[in-house]
Amino acid sequence: LRMLRATKNRFGSSEEVGVYEMGNSGYGQQSGALIPVSDPSSRFLSGRIDTTDIDGCAVSLVVEGTRPMTAEIQALVATSSTPGGSGRRTVDGISVSRLLLILAVLNKRCGISLNRHDVFVNVVGGIRLNSFGCNDGSSSDLAIAAAVVSSLLRIPIRADTAFCWGN
């Protein structure tokens, strides 16, 4: 999949995204041709097992420009093996500072301390969530927090549940 994002044109901001897939060299298609994806949400969730509730996986509803999309957030929380108990933070698809802010809120407001745990967060499909919503990624914070807590406490999130937050 390839995402083509237009953020500015000469008449003002456009902030739209197009989702394309690379065509194969099959009958009637050129090798490397871009083919529009009409339903990116189902494409991003195509590998998800809808019949099984899984801990550490949450679906977030995000808006890119005028297009609503879904994104799957995967989190893994494990006891840290580093000396001193200081946990690592590894992310793909969101910024590290965004994850640190979410973990601080979980600690301060919910009493969930993750200081002695490694936290890994991944956004499936290569989506960069910090470019969605209000250009700060805050629309997916609830889904990220739910995935992290779900992984920590080993409580599965229902497969038919999606998290959204925003204006």
Side-chain angles (χ1 to χ4, degrees):
L1 286 179
R2 302 286 185 250
M3 294 181 74
L4 178 64
R5 180 173 286 115
T7 56
K8 180 85 171 138
N9 63 24
R10 71 183 215 175
F11 298 110
S13 177
S14 61
E15 297 186 19
E16 288 297 327
V17 65
V19 180
Y20 300 89
E21 64 181 341
M22 298 291 287
N24 296 331
S25 56
Y27 181 74
Q29 293 182 357
Q30 295 180 0
S31 178
L34 292 177
I35 302 165
V37 175
S38 60
D39 186 9
S41 293
S42 64
R43 185 79 160 138
F44 290 129
L45 297 177
S46 63
R48 186 172 172 81
I49 304 170
D50 290 334
T51 59
T52 307
D53 299 341
I54 303 171
D55 61 303
C57 291
V59 174
S60 177
L61 298 174
V62 294
V63 176
E64 173 64 19
T66 59
R67 181 189 299 240
M69 303 172 85
T70 56
E72 182 179 359
I73 314 292
Q74 297 173 337
L76 175 65
V77 178
T79 304
S80 180
S81 61
T82 57
S86 175
R88 290 188 309 166
R89 309 298 184 238
T90 305
V91 297
D92 187 22
I94 65 168
S95 66
V96 175
S97 60
R98 170 77 57 224
L99 177 63
L100 294 175
L101 176 65
I102 293 168
L103 297 180
V105 170
L106 287 173
N107 186 17
K108 177 81 174 180
R109 299 292 180 200
C110 302
I112 299 173
S113 177
L114 295 158
N115 293 335
R116 298 181 187 267
H117 292 85
D118 295 332
V119 178
F120 304 90
V121 175
N122 177 47
V123 181
V124 177
I127 301 173
R128 301 278 317 156
L129 289 182
N130 55 347
S131 62
F132 282 87
C134 302
N135 292 326
D136 62 359
S138 62
S139 63
S140 57
D141 287 355
L142 184 59
I144 295 168
V148 168
V149 172
S150 170
S151 178
L152 175 69
L153 302 178
R154 295 183 180 154
I155 299 172
I157 295 175
R158 288 181 43 150
D160 61 353
T161 302
F163 295 91
C164 60
W165 180 262
N167 303 349

